[in-house]
């Protein structure tokens, strides 16, 4: 018997996006990538949006990829590229292996918009944080930590920019599902 998947909206704005279907599709893509199989048939999720896919197992991140701007014509195409990248092409982690598929979770974060902010102190855990300095960016996804100061420190680290450097900050408003 297959394990039951709990598909929860972790943060939800008004949208026509079917989060549980996105998560199921992302899981199928990850499984196909790991097994060197053809990706599942395309689904219709509508127009492209920036999307991030995070893969984890037993509380450990196995891969995470995404972008702040759409690169494809549809959300399904974005999801295929992003989920495949998270499974096999995240330079911070080894590729996901067959044994990792037992009990793995996928989080899909669909970016709605970025809003300029003057500082990170008032940012809520359900918001992401984007730090930019020239061409360098540090992205902290929604629910990655709760303390704004720590999240800002992580954004500096992810961007590879010394803390205190001149930067611009944006709040990421996104929808997030996990299953």
């Amino acid at each position: 018997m297959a394990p039951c998947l709990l598909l929860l909206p972790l943060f939800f704005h008004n949208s026509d996006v079917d989060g549980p279907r996105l998560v199921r599709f992302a899981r199928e893509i990850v499984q196909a990538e790991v097994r060197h199989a053809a990706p599942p048939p395309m689904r219709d999720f509508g127009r492209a949006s920036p999307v991030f896919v995070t893969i984890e197992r037993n509380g450990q991140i196995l891969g995470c990829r995404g972008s702040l701007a759409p690169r494809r014509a549809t959300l399904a195409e974005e999801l295929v590229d992003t989920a495949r990248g998270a499974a096999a092409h995240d330079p911070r982690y080894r590729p996901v292996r067959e044994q990792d598929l037992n009990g793995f979770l996928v989080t899909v974060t669909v970016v709605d918009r970025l809003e300029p902010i003057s500082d990170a102190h008032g940012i809520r855990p359900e918001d992401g944080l984007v730090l930019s300095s020239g061409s360098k960016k540090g992205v902290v996804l929604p629910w990655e930590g709760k303390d704004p100061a720590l999240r800002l420190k992580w954004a500096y680290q992810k961007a590879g920019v010394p803390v205190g450097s001149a930067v611009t900050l944006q709040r990421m408003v996104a929808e997030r599902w996990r299953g």
Side-chain angles (χ1 to χ4, degrees), residues 11-17 112-113 175:
F11 182 60
F12 186 78
H13 284 289
N14 293 330
S15 172
D16 294 329
V17 175
D112 181 44
R113 66 187 179 279
E175 296 178 63

Side-chain angles (χ1 to χ4, degrees), residues 15-146:
S15 172
D16 294 329
V17 175
D18 184 341
R21 278 185 64 223
L22 284 177
V23 170
R24 282 191 296 273
F25 187 53
R27 288 179 62 82
E28 291 172 13
I29 295 163
V30 169
Q31 291 167 331
E33 182 68 19
V34 170
R35 293 175 175 143
H36 305 289
M42 283 299 206
R43 311 286 198 317
D44 182 10
F45 296 114
R47 66 176 175 77
S49 293
V51 65
F52 287 81
V53 172
T54 306
I55 304 167
E56 63 183 287
R57 182 171 181 257
N58 298 329
Q60 297 294 315
I61 302 294
L62 301 177
C64 181
R65 300 303 288 167
S67 69
L68 295 170
R71 298 169 294 189
R72 299 296 196 153
T74 69
L75 184 53
E77 291 172 319
E78 287 287 334
L79 203 53
V80 168
D81 286 352
T82 305
R84 290 181 70 208
H89 307 287
D90 185 335
R92 300 167 296 180
Y93 304 96
R94 65 165 171 73
V96 176
R97 298 180 297 215
E98 180 76 31
Q99 59 265 35
D100 297 325
L101 297 178
N102 184 23
F104 81 105
L105 292 172
V106 171
T107 301
V108 175
T109 304
V110 178
V111 179
D112 181 44
R113 66 187 179 279
L114 300 176
E115 299 173 344
I117 56 174
S118 58
D119 63 61
H121 296 314
I123 197 156
R124 304 170 305 179
E126 62 267 22
D127 296 326
L129 176 65
V130 179
L131 177 146
S132 302
S133 178
S135 64
K136 296 181 177 184
K137 291 198 184 306
V139 177
V140 178
L141 292 173
W143 295 107
E144 282 186 334
K146 294 182 181 178

